[in-house]
Amino acid sequence: MDFELSPLLNPESVAIIGVSKNPSRIGGRLFKYLAKHGYEGSLALVNPKYKELNGVKCYPAISDVPAPIDCALIAVPEKRVLAVLNECAGSHVKAAVIFSSGFAEMGSSGKEAQNKIQELARRKNLRVCGPNCIGLINFNNHIALSFSQLLEIDTLIPGNIGFISQSGALGGSLVNRAMDKRIGLSYFISSGNEADLEVSDYIKHLVLHDQKTKVIAAVIEGFKDGAKFIEAAELALKYRKPLIVLKIGETAAGKKAAASHTGSMTGSDSVIDAVFHQKGVMRVRNYDELFQTASVFSKERIPKGNRVGILTSTGGGGIIMADYYTKLGLEVPEPSSKTKDLATKEIATFGKVANPFDLTGQIFSDPEMFKRCMKLFVAEDNFDIIQVNVSMVAGQSSEQRASMLLDAIEGSSKPIVTWWAAGSLSEPGIKLLNGSEVALFRSPERCATAVKSMVQYYQFLETHQDSTQVGSEVDCANALSHAKDILDAADKSLSEHHSKGLLNAYGIPVTRERVANSPSEAIRFAEEIGFPLVLKIDSPDILHKSEANAIRLGVRSKEEISKVYGEIIENARQYNPDARINGVLVQEMIEGGSEVMIGMSQDPQFGPTIAFGLGGIFVEVLKDISLRVTPLSQSDAEQMVKEIKGYPILQGVRGKRRADIEAVVDVLQRISRLAQDWKDTISEIDINPLIVFDEGHGVKAADALVVLKKPAKA
Amino acid sequence: MDFELSPLLNPESVAIIGVSKNPSRIGGRLFKYLAKHGYEGSLALVNPKYKELNGVKCYPAISDVPAPIDCALIAVPEKRVLAVLNECAGSHVKAAVIFSSGFAEMGSSGKEAQNKIQELARRKNLRVCGPNCIGLINFNNHIALSFSQLLEIDTLIPGNIGFISQSGALGGSLVNRAMDKRIGLSYFISSGNEADLEVSDYIKHLVLHDQKTKVIAAVIEGFKDGAKFIEAAELALKYRKPLIVLKIGETAAGKKAAASHTGSMTGSDSVIDAVFHQKGVMRVRNYDELFQTASVFSKERIPKGNRVGILTSTGGGGIIMADYYTKLGLEVPEPSSKTKDLATKEIATFGKVANPFDLTGQIFSDPEMFKRCMKLFVAEDNFDIIQVNVSMVAGQSSEQRASMLLDAIEGSSKPIVTWWAAGSLSEPGIKLLNGSEVALFRSPERCATAVKSMVQYYQFLETHQDSTQVGSEVDCANALSHAKDILDAADKSLSEHHSKGLLNAYGIPVTRERVANSPSEAIRFAEEIGFPLVLKIDSPDILHKSEANAIRLGVRSKEEISKVYGEIIENARQYNPDARINGVLVQEMIEGGSEVMIGMSQDPQFGPTIAFGLGGIFVEVLKDISLRVTPLSQSDAEQMVKEIKGYPILQGVRGKRRADIEAVVDVLQRISRLAQDWKDTISEIDINPLIVFDEGHGVKAADALVVLKKPAKA
């Protein structure tokens, strides 16, 4: 569903329902702030108590307003909200902001009332922001539809960052800070409880329909609809509008608080990480990082690579920045010999030209040297990004430094970032840089992290494959019908043999094996397959074969088969007398290779999720797992394998050869396809272990389990 | 060596040598700032060019100054520094600050000049700060001995934080920011190149001799003398003065920059981490965190535990703080039912009393509710620390909020921390909290991290054992003479058998083994020890026995011994024809147990350093190692074992029993003792693997190598 949000975000006519002459009440503040910030459209006031307010006519009800209204601001007690909204719909109002609280955040009765708002909004095609929100601001057109004390601010600075926050108070606070730093916004939207419109709707609108928005920032507590968020993120990628998110509610304690704060679900944080990773969404971990990162992107200076040149007036500061960039995986290369020669002339005997390049105390005797050296750095081909450190300069000196910096970068399109270390004594210089072409930071860490995000984002854009294209490279032509046969025959879960049959239908190699129904059949199969063998029970009702003592490894002779066959059946029966037993699985025993595990589970918000890790302690003790949601592109699958900490083991260590990583990547994509095809049927898949042989020798699933979502048949 | 630093840090008389009437020169600025900030002691100016400056008499040379001088400020060109310092010494000046640059930071010739300063300082007992520094400030006595533009500031705010920085520019910038937040200091000392006095000297002085300093903060690029720093850190612990350090130069790129910036060595960062960890030094990772962390301690409110109560006016902010505290391992418990009942009356139907406790928008209609709820939280026994979040309040409302907060905490000694989310609109409230009893933060992450440091520090104080007490609990009575025999007989490195002999002298269990000189001797030893066995070459010249193919595992019969004995000798000879061969080591083969490794190496700054990790891939691929410097206390050794990621494996996973962790802790302490006893002789020890049996069954070194620092004998 695509919503046209212009009547809400850029209304030509606004009504305040529940307006008040008391500026400390919501209805009063809305009126005050709308006027204060220069709203130029038409305005209707609604409140039966007044005839007029400040010379503006006041109507008893929205139905009495003669002119058409794009957006109604609803500031009435919770109990009256639905009736008022109904009236709005009847009066052809196109959108509404509901400020009132007392809905889903209050528990089940509130949730019910909120559902009614949603139902009405959808039925009447009336777009609703809120309830329990602080409203929204359109900065470029001076439209302030909010009661936040943020609007006590003198001027709203327009810009190209669209900002959406589920939390009103945090959102307002962040906007206040952005304005302090002259970071301009296109919109601030407080989405509140999201009865109708949710964060993803606003993102889609800003991507598709708002030319002025170039960067999107969001504070998100939870997603209503995971698929819609993925769709919005894909769109943002397609239109190259960076999406930066502060996702809160990571831990159990945080989630408990989140649940009582909004009606949103807060999904498993590691799955959210996976989605962000996969869809190029930049996740900031800190409140104060959101706009700092957004502001780097808002300069629209795109780095050509990851090489940072650091110009510093403090040696210690140079060390700090070089440390951060190196730790974050960026490069801090030497300048070219040409630059070195020219810069050496500048600094004479006072230092050494390198990267970081320390201008030393010499900069105080010869302030212009800064500008000349800066020009050399900006022109240097070895640098894609220029980092400037400024330390203790007071008053006019600070202004001079800032002004030289701005002069020196003229004509260049490289990203220029500055860490300004000093405090209020540098105010004149800092003021000059705020809102300029230079991204200014007060924290060196935030600076480096933002640069890293920017570099990573543009690298990501180059390699990203649209998920709508994904899946076609996996050849699974006959999989569907074969899989259907297997799944139709099962309920709850599949036996190991059937699980492997399903995997095999999707082209995933499995162990050679057959299910025997007698010792003599087992011996016949053994001769077919060859010793050594593994014998184990095959039953959809016995998932833990070791626990049941119904598995024997390293069976090496016919005599042994005769002996263990009966034991396995016997132990399985004792373990679970009601288990349906298909027979004894006679399976090749694999020697050598590395063990990995591949799993699939269903995330309540984002659907089928694939997990990958090395076997045993790596998964169980070290939790060394990578995650992605389906569908997996080839590069997703490759990333999954590479990002686990144990990856060097697959690359070959301690005399072992490189494992067949390509075959693992192939299995991951096939599992993704399988999970997508049967996402309503299969709830879990576990291949543990998948044996990975040396490069070129493929993989084999040695054990597998498929659990169904619900009984496939009665 | 203990230095008395009062003449430097609190001089009654100061001379400016190289004073200038030009306020843009160092000598001019020193004069200007000293007067501006109200220096009340006696002042002598020295410069042959002037008779007087601003009414203060000016002498041709320091030797012409009639009155005694505590501290000389030396602002003359680098070439004249030594002569001037010599003159100072001749005139009984007690201390000097050398601002001039051009010393060790410039390379070897500068280093030589700097060494002469040190030599003179030590010989004449004249304490020197610098060279290449920006000086120092005594805030409580209004003594500004610096030319930093920081001193353009109107007022220097006195306080209880002593601050030392090797980097002058970063130090000055940080002080400017501290002053902006009304964080008061006792001292700011820029230590520069540290020809004479180094960071550790200043720390020791502030710990021992300065009553007003309660907290010490430092920016450190490198340590001149590791042992002295450890001693200073131990003193700080003893006197309960928290020591907070921003250590820069972590990566290779950072270190390269550090080397060219000061004359300091920058040691291995992981060893520095280990030292800090071990000595209760709080390491902040971010520039802007140093004073934020220091300021929490400066309030001198000591938390009784780790339970945080969160009072918030923004739901989202409550989630953020609960997330941080939970991730950092602090507790966010529920309030007592008494508090719940009382608070529920306050908020009526608008919310739910929990932790975090969200006061919701209700706080705007009833601002006083904040104060009443805050009082309930402060009085709540379930909370050791109170966290308050403030979001978007503008102007007078912000002032009112801050003032209610201050009222509510009166009479309580609990730490109170506040995250204030909004920006400049909240200026009046923020101003009120700056410099108050409440520690104020603008970043929620920095807030939680600082609280975590505080909690951890006071927990550390409770368990810390002074390292001067360490070692006595290890019984190694006869170790010394036995060890001496082994070490005297060796050069370069010890053979495996001799290495184990040394370990065994210190009470570390090793495999049963004997060195045989013929196959028949080997068979005799085999009968003594019992099969299965390992046979390997024993030679101080063959360290990699597998590479030499001179090791055989799982030898199970006399016949096998006869066969492999010759092969081992033969392969060893081929591998290294010059190797001295002691014979073939006949060793019990250990089956079962977990493999760990314990190593010792010499850090150039901090001396013997002990490493611990699980064997194989855990060390090689995952770099899962813990480090400590010697001597190890029992709690150090316990921490080392617990802090590796693979620790759960020793605790018992996947059906394995808990390993004998106590025995590992014992070996760590014995290795520490061994390394201490022979720190001038032994350069490396490697026990790899040490086999750890099930709890109660001890450990055994299965292979060991001891490398000597230099030939023990010619």
Side-chain angles (χ1 to χ4, degrees):
Chain A
M1 196 162 13
D2 258 339
F3 297 123
E4 167 51 59
L5 303 185
S6 302
L8 177 72
L9 299 179
N10 195 17
E12 291 178 12
S13 47
V14 168
I16 305 176
I17 306 179
V19 72
S20 166
K21 67 176 177 188
N22 179 351
S24 79
R25 301 191 58 119
I26 291 180
R29 282 212 256 158
L30 288 171
F31 185 34
K32 172 182 151 189
Y33 292 146
L34 200 64
K36 172 181 171 174
H37 290 287
Y39 175 60
E40 292 170 345
S42 70
L43 173 64
L45 301 181
V46 177
N47 190 336
K49 281 202 245 170
Y50 312 117
K51 292 278 179 226
E52 61 90 33
L53 270 177
N54 293 359
V56 183
K57 190 168 161 51
C58 198
Y59 300 91
I62 185 72
S63 49
D64 299 316
V65 177
I69 292 293
D70 277 350
C71 180
L73 309 182
I74 302 181
V76 301
E78 168 261 322
K79 289 188 176 60
R80 293 201 48 234
V81 165
L82 197 67
V84 166
L85 195 65
N86 224 332
E87 250 181 279
C88 288
S91 308
H92 307 293
V93 170
K94 293 182 187 138
V97 183
I98 304 175
F99 299 93
S100 326
S101 57
F103 291 90
E105 82 279 9
M106 298 301 293
S108 59
S109 71
K111 177 85 184 110
E112 216 170 282
Q114 186 170 310
N115 287 344
K116 286 181 187 157
I117 294 176
Q118 183 190 44
E119 187 274 326
L120 179 65
R122 301 289 157 89
R123 184 160 45 85
K124 299 284 192 178
N125 196 22
L126 169 72
R127 296 287 64 82
V128 173
C129 172
N132 190 26
C133 74
I134 64 165
L136 55 96
I137 303 170
N138 174 332
F139 288 73
N140 286 297
N141 296 333
H142 319 288
I143 307 174
L145 311 180
S146 169
F147 68 93
S148 170
Q149 287 197 35
L150 159 70
L151 291 167
E152 292 293 330
I153 208 165
D154 290 332
T155 332
L156 294 171
I157 302 164
N160 61 10
I161 303 172
F163 174 42
I164 307 147
S165 177
Q166 286 180 338
S167 164
L170 287 183
S173 300
L174 277 166
V175 174
N176 183 193
R177 290 207 193 180
M179 299 290 109
D180 288 345
K181 297 187 164 145
R182 303 199 62 76
I183 296 172
L185 303 189
S186 56
Y187 291 96
F188 165 44
I189 301 162
S190 148
S191 66
N193 284 7
E194 306 188 339
D196 176 34
L197 295 172
E198 59 190 88
V199 169
S200 310
D201 293 308
Y202 298 113
I203 294 173
K204 280 163 79 176
H205 177 88
L206 295 181
V207 169
L208 293 172
H209 305 299
D210 193 72
Q211 301 282 337
K212 287 194 174 146
T213 299
K214 304 291 187 192
V215 180
I216 298 168
V219 174
I220 296 177
E221 290 174 23
F223 298 96
K224 294 259 154 169
D225 178 342
K228 197 189 243 188
F229 177 76
I230 287 179
E231 199 190 321
E234 286 275 12
L235 270 182
L237 277 177
K238 187 172 168 190
Y239 288 82
R240 301 175 76 92
K241 296 193 179 181
L243 175 56
I244 302 144
V245 174
L246 175 67
K247 167 72 184 68
I248 62 183
E250 295 175 42
T251 67
K255 271 171 202 159
K256 193 188 64 179
S260 67
H261 180 233
T262 72
S264 324
M265 279 199 63
T266 55
S268 152
D269 200 63
S270 45
V271 174
I272 288 168
D273 259 347
V275 169
F276 282 19
H277 207 119
Q278 208 167 344
K279 302 300 170 191
V281 178
M282 282 153 285
R283 180 173 193 170
V284 294
R285 293 280 167 185
N286 302 301
Y287 172 80
D288 38 330
E289 217 178 311
L290 184 67
F291 275 101
Q292 300 199 345
T293 301
S295 82
V296 176
F297 283 98
S298 77
K299 310 298 178 197
E300 299 186 75
R301 289 167 168 258
I302 298 172
K304 295 220 166 66
N306 72 346
R307 300 165 307 162
V308 186
I310 305 172
L311 193 67
T312 183
S313 58
T314 145
I319 299 170
I320 288 178
M321 291 312 313
D323 266 353
Y324 279 122
Y325 284 121
T326 308
K327 278 195 285 184
L328 291 168
L330 279 74
E331 287 178 57
V332 185
E334 288 292 295
S336 65
S337 54
K338 185 185 154 203
T339 299
K340 276 192 176 179
D341 290 347
L342 291 169
T344 302
K345 283 178 198 151
E346 292 296 339
I347 55 161
T349 61
F350 292 92
K352 193 171 146 269
V353 181
N355 190 13
F357 179 21
D358 181 5
L359 298 175
T360 76
Q362 196 52 14
I363 197 173
F364 291 100
S365 354
D366 178 9
E368 289 281 331
M369 180 182 74
F370 169 72
K371 185 154 100 185
R372 298 190 302 267
C373 291
M374 183 65 199
K375 279 187 174 163
L376 293 175
F377 260 48
V378 169
E380 169 61 57
D381 284 338
N382 285 355
F383 303 147
D384 304 306
I385 297 142
I386 309 297
Q387 164 75 47
V388 180
N389 295 344
V390 184
S391 54
M392 192 56 254
V393 275
Q396 218 204 316
S397 308
S398 74
E399 203 169 0
Q400 186 190 28
R401 185 76 59 84
S403 141
M404 288 191 296
L405 173 54
L406 293 175
D407 284 355
I409 67 170
E410 234 171 62
S412 161
S413 62
K414 284 183 188 174
I416 314 289
V417 293
T418 293
W419 165 38
W420 200 303
S424 60
L425 286 167
S426 287
E427 207 50 62
I430 289 169
K431 267 197 175 150
L432 210 56
L433 292 192
N434 275 338
S436 76
E437 284 293 290
V438 172
L440 181 72
F441 292 83
R442 308 306 302 279
S443 156
E445 177 208 17
R446 301 285 192 254
C447 180
T449 309
V451 169
K452 158 83 174 179
S453 289
M454 181 170 57
V455 167
Q456 216 168 15
Y457 177 76
Y458 290 105
Q459 282 173 348
F460 182 87
L461 278 185
E462 281 171 27
T463 59
H464 175 65
Q465 296 166 288
D466 191 326
S467 73
T468 57
Q469 309 300 319
V470 162
S472 51
E473 61 277 317
V474 177
D475 172 27
C476 307
N478 301 311
L480 279 177
S481 67
H482 190 167
K484 189 167 188 301
D485 292 345
I486 297 170
L487 292 166
D488 277 354
D491 59 22
K492 287 189 296 189
S493 55
L494 306 188
S495 75
E496 175 178 340
H497 187 61
H498 288 147
S499 297
K500 285 178 177 166
L502 183 66
L503 297 179
N504 205 227
Y506 277 81
I508 297 169
V510 300
T511 40
R512 276 177 295 137
E513 61 185 36
R514 295 192 65 175
V515 178
N517 278 297
S518 68
S520 59
E521 201 177 21
I523 289 169
R524 209 172 68 237
F525 294 157
E527 282 170 336
E528 249 176 70
I529 296 169
F531 291 99
L533 290 165
V534 179
L535 266 65
K536 39 186 160 174
I537 200 74
D538 193 60
S539 162
D541 302 316
I542 299 178
L543 307 185
H544 305 288
K545 293 175 279 257
S546 297
E547 206 179 281
N549 193 17
I551 176 166
R552 293 291 179 275
L553 303 173
V555 175
R556 289 176 193 272
S557 66
K558 295 184 200 175
E559 297 68 38
E560 224 179 325
I561 293 178
S562 311
K563 180 171 164 279
V564 302
Y565 186 96
E567 287 173 13
I568 289 175
I569 297 282
E570 176 62 22
N571 290 347
R573 289 236 166 84
Q574 276 200 5
Y575 179 74
N576 179 356
D578 301 327
R580 289 163 296 176
I581 289 172
N582 301 334
V584 169
L585 194 57
V586 179
Q587 186 177 94
E588 64 172 318
M589 179 156 143
I590 300 175
E591 290 169 306
S594 304
E595 296 193 353
V596 305
M597 79 100 205
I598 291 176
M600 188 283 289
S601 60
Q602 295 270 359
D603 182 77
Q605 292 177 304
F606 294 100
T609 306
I610 311 289
F612 170 75
L614 296 183
I617 47 160
F618 279 89
V619 169
E620 289 171 34
V621 177
L622 304 173
K623 319 286 177 210
D624 184 20
I625 288 174
S626 59
L627 281 179
R628 292 290 186 280
V629 295
T630 61
L632 290 185
S633 69
Q634 175 153 348
S635 69
D636 288 335
E638 286 167 356
Q639 278 306 318
M640 282 186 83
V641 177
K642 279 185 194 156
E643 81 186 27
I644 61 168
K645 293 191 198 75
Y647 178 59
I649 291 168
L650 296 178
Q651 288 180 295
V653 282
R654 312 182 96 203
K656 278 186 75 174
R657 296 181 57 191
R658 184 177 183 278
D660 199 333
I661 293 168
E662 292 66 29
V664 176
V665 168
D666 182 64
V667 172
L668 284 166
Q669 287 171 275
R670 290 177 188 276
I671 282 287
S672 163
R673 176 71 181 271
L674 166 59
Q676 283 282 111
D677 285 351
W678 301 98
K679 66 180 165 195
D680 298 327
T681 308
I682 300 177
S683 72
E684 286 174 57
I685 303 173
D686 218 354
I687 310 183
N688 192 8
L690 177 78
I691 307 294
V692 189
F693 301 105
D694 287 351
E695 189 162 17
H697 293 79
V699 295
K700 252 181 203 178
D703 198 351
L705 171 63
V706 173
V707 179
L708 303 185
K709 227 164 172 174
K710 43 191 173 184
K713 57 179 185 180
Chain B
M1 198 162 10
D2 258 340
F3 297 125
E4 166 52 58
L5 303 184
S6 301
L8 177 71
L9 298 178
N10 196 15
E12 290 178 13
S13 47
V14 168
I16 305 176
I17 305 177
V19 72
S20 165
K21 66 176 176 187
N22 179 350
S24 78
R25 301 192 57 119
I26 292 181
R29 282 212 255 157
L30 288 171
F31 185 34
K32 172 181 150 189
Y33 292 145
L34 200 62
K36 172 180 172 177
H37 290 287
Y39 176 59
E40 292 170 343
S42 70
L43 173 65
L45 301 180
V46 176
N47 190 335
K49 281 201 244 168
Y50 312 117
K51 291 279 177 226
E52 62 87 36
L53 270 177
N54 293 1
V56 182
K57 189 169 163 52
C58 200
Y59 300 92
I62 185 73
S63 50
D64 299 317
V65 177
I69 291 294
D70 276 350
C71 181
L73 308 183
I74 301 180
V76 300
E78 169 261 322
K79 288 190 176 60
R80 291 201 49 235
V81 166
L82 197 68
V84 166
L85 195 65
N86 224 331
E87 249 180 283
C88 287
S91 308
H92 307 294
V93 170
K94 292 180 188 144
V97 183
I98 304 175
F99 299 94
S100 326
S101 58
F103 292 90
E105 81 279 9
M106 298 300 293
S108 60
S109 71
K111 177 84 184 112
E112 216 169 281
Q114 186 170 312
N115 287 345
K116 286 181 186 157
I117 294 176
Q118 183 189 42
E119 187 275 325
L120 179 64
R122 301 289 158 89
R123 185 160 43 85
K124 299 284 191 176
N125 197 23
L126 170 72
R127 295 287 63 81
V128 173
C129 172
N132 191 25
C133 75
I134 64 165
L136 56 97
I137 303 170
N138 174 333
F139 289 72
N140 286 297
N141 296 332
H142 320 289
I143 307 173
L145 310 180
S146 170
F147 68 93
S148 172
Q149 286 197 38
L150 158 70
L151 290 166
E152 292 293 332
I153 207 164
D154 290 332
T155 331
L156 294 170
I157 302 162
N160 61 9
I161 302 173
F163 174 43
I164 308 147
S165 177
Q166 286 179 337
S167 165
L170 287 183
S173 301
L174 276 167
V175 174
N176 183 192
R177 291 207 191 180
M179 298 291 109
D180 287 346
K181 296 189 164 141
R182 302 199 62 77
I183 296 171
L185 303 189
S186 55
Y187 291 96
F188 164 45
I189 301 162
S190 148
S191 66
N193 284 8
E194 305 187 340
D196 176 33
L197 295 172
E198 59 189 87
V199 169
S200 309
D201 293 308
Y202 298 113
I203 295 172
K204 280 164 78 175
H205 177 88
L206 296 181
V207 169
L208 292 172
H209 305 300
D210 193 72
Q211 300 283 338
K212 288 195 174 145
T213 299
K214 303 292 187 190
V215 180
I216 298 168
V219 175
I220 297 177
E221 292 174 23
F223 298 96
K224 295 258 153 170
D225 179 341
K228 198 189 243 187
F229 178 75
I230 288 179
E231 199 189 321
E234 286 275 12
L235 270 181
L237 278 176
K238 187 171 168 190
Y239 287 83
R240 301 175 76 91
K241 296 193 178 181
L243 175 56
I244 302 145
V245 174
L246 175 67
K247 166 73 184 67
I248 61 183
E250 294 176 42
T251 66
K255 272 172 200 157
K256 193 187 66 180
S260 67
H261 181 233
T262 72
S264 323
M265 279 199 63
T266 55
S268 152
D269 200 62
S270 44
V271 175
I272 288 168
D273 259 347
V275 169
F276 282 19
H277 207 119
Q278 208 167 343
K279 301 301 170 191
V281 178
M282 282 154 283
R283 180 173 193 172
V284 293
R285 293 279 167 187
N286 303 301
Y287 173 79
D288 38 330
E289 218 178 311
L290 184 67
F291 275 102
Q292 300 199 344
T293 301
S295 82
V296 176
F297 284 98
S298 77
K299 309 298 178 195
E300 299 185 76
R301 289 167 168 257
I302 298 171
K304 294 221 166 67
N306 72 346
R307 301 165 307 163
V308 186
I310 305 172
L311 192 67
T312 184
S313 58
T314 144
I319 299 170
I320 287 179
M321 291 312 315
D323 266 353
Y324 280 122
Y325 284 121
T326 307
K327 278 196 284 183
L328 290 169
L330 278 73
E331 287 178 56
V332 184
E334 289 292 295
S336 65
S337 54
K338 186 185 153 202
T339 299
K340 276 191 176 178
D341 290 346
L342 292 168
T344 302
K345 282 178 199 151
E346 292 295 341
I347 55 160
T349 61
F350 292 93
K352 194 170 146 269
V353 181
N355 189 14
F357 179 21
D358 181 5
L359 298 174
T360 76
Q362 195 52 15
I363 197 173
F364 291 101
S365 354
D366 178 10
E368 289 281 330
M369 180 182 74
F370 168 72
K371 184 154 101 185
R372 298 191 300 267
C373 290
M374 183 66 198
K375 278 187 175 164
L376 293 174
F377 260 48
V378 169
E380 169 61 58
D381 284 338
N382 285 356
F383 303 146
D384 304 306
I385 297 142
I386 309 297
Q387 164 76 48
V388 180
N389 295 344
V390 184
S391 53
M392 193 55 255
V393 275
Q396 218 204 315
S397 307
S398 74
E399 204 169 359
Q400 187 189 27
R401 184 78 58 87
S403 141
M404 287 191 296
L405 172 55
L406 292 174
D407 284 355
I409 67 169
E410 234 171 62
S412 161
S413 61
K414 283 183 188 173
I416 314 288
V417 292
T418 293
W419 164 38
W420 201 303
S424 60
L425 286 167
S426 287
E427 208 48 63
I430 289 170
K431 265 196 177 155
L432 210 57
L433 292 191
N434 275 337
S436 77
E437 285 293 291
V438 172
L440 181 73
F441 292 83
R442 308 307 302 279
S443 156
E445 176 209 18
R446 301 283 192 255
C447 181
T449 309
V451 169
K452 158 82 174 179
S453 289
M454 182 171 57
V455 168
Q456 215 168 16
Y457 177 76
Y458 289 105
Q459 282 174 347
F460 183 87
L461 278 185
E462 280 171 27
T463 59
H464 175 67
Q465 295 166 287
D466 190 323
S467 74
T468 57
Q469 308 301 319
V470 163
S472 53
E473 63 277 328
V474 178
D475 171 27
C476 307
N478 301 312
L480 278 178
S481 67
H482 191 166
K484 187 166 188 302
D485 292 344
I486 297 170
L487 292 166
D488 277 353
D491 59 23
K492 288 189 296 190
S493 56
L494 306 188
S495 73
E496 174 177 340
H497 187 60
H498 287 147
S499 297
K500 286 178 177 168
L502 183 66
L503 297 178
N504 205 227
Y506 277 80
I508 297 168
V510 301
T511 40
R512 276 177 296 137
E513 61 185 37
R514 296 193 65 177
V515 178
N517 278 297
S518 68
S520 60
E521 204 177 17
I523 289 169
R524 209 172 68 237
F525 293 156
E527 284 170 335
E528 250 177 68
I529 296 169
F531 292 99
L533 289 165
V534 179
L535 266 66
K536 37 185 161 174
I537 201 71
D538 193 61
S539 162
D541 302 316
I542 299 179
L543 307 184
H544 304 289
K545 292 174 280 255
S546 297
E547 205 179 282
N549 193 16
I551 175 167
R552 294 290 178 276
L553 304 174
V555 175
R556 290 177 193 273
S557 66
K558 295 184 201 176
E559 296 69 37
E560 224 179 325
I561 293 179
S562 310
K563 180 168 164 281
V564 303
Y565 186 98
E567 287 173 14
I568 289 174
I569 297 281
E570 177 61 25
N571 290 345
R573 288 235 168 86
Q574 275 198 5
Y575 180 74
N576 180 355
D578 301 327
R580 290 162 298 176
I581 289 172
N582 301 334
V584 169
L585 195 57
V586 179
Q587 189 176 93
E588 65 171 316
M589 180 157 144
I590 300 174
E591 289 168 307
S594 305
E595 296 193 354
V596 304
M597 79 99 204
I598 291 177
M600 188 284 291
S601 61
Q602 295 269 0
D603 183 78
Q605 292 177 305
F606 293 99
T609 306
I610 311 290
F612 170 75
L614 297 183
I617 47 160
F618 278 88
V619 169
E620 289 169 36
V621 177
L622 303 173
K623 318 288 177 209
D624 183 20
I625 289 175
S626 58
L627 281 179
R628 291 290 186 281
V629 295
T630 61
L632 290 185
S633 69
Q634 175 154 349
S635 69
D636 288 335
E638 285 167 357
Q639 279 305 318
M640 283 186 83
V641 178
K642 279 184 195 157
E643 80 185 29
I644 61 167
K645 293 191 198 77
Y647 178 58
I649 290 168
L650 296 177
Q651 289 180 295
V653 281
R654 311 182 98 201
K656 277 186 76 173
R657 297 181 57 190
R658 183 177 184 278
D660 199 332
I661 293 168
E662 291 66 28
V664 176
V665 167
D666 182 63
V667 172
L668 284 167
Q669 288 171 275
R670 289 177 189 276
I671 282 286
S672 162
R673 176 70 181 272
L674 167 58
Q676 283 283 109
D677 284 350
W678 300 98
K679 66 181 167 194
D680 298 326
T681 308
I682 299 177
S683 72
E684 287 174 56
I685 303 172
D686 218 353
I687 310 182
N688 191 8
L690 177 78
I691 307 294
V692 189
F693 301 104
D694 287 350
E695 189 163 16
H697 293 79
V699 296
K700 253 182 201 179
D703 197 352
L705 170 64
V706 173
V707 179
L708 303 184
K709 226 162 173 175
K710 43 192 174 186
K713 58 177 186 182

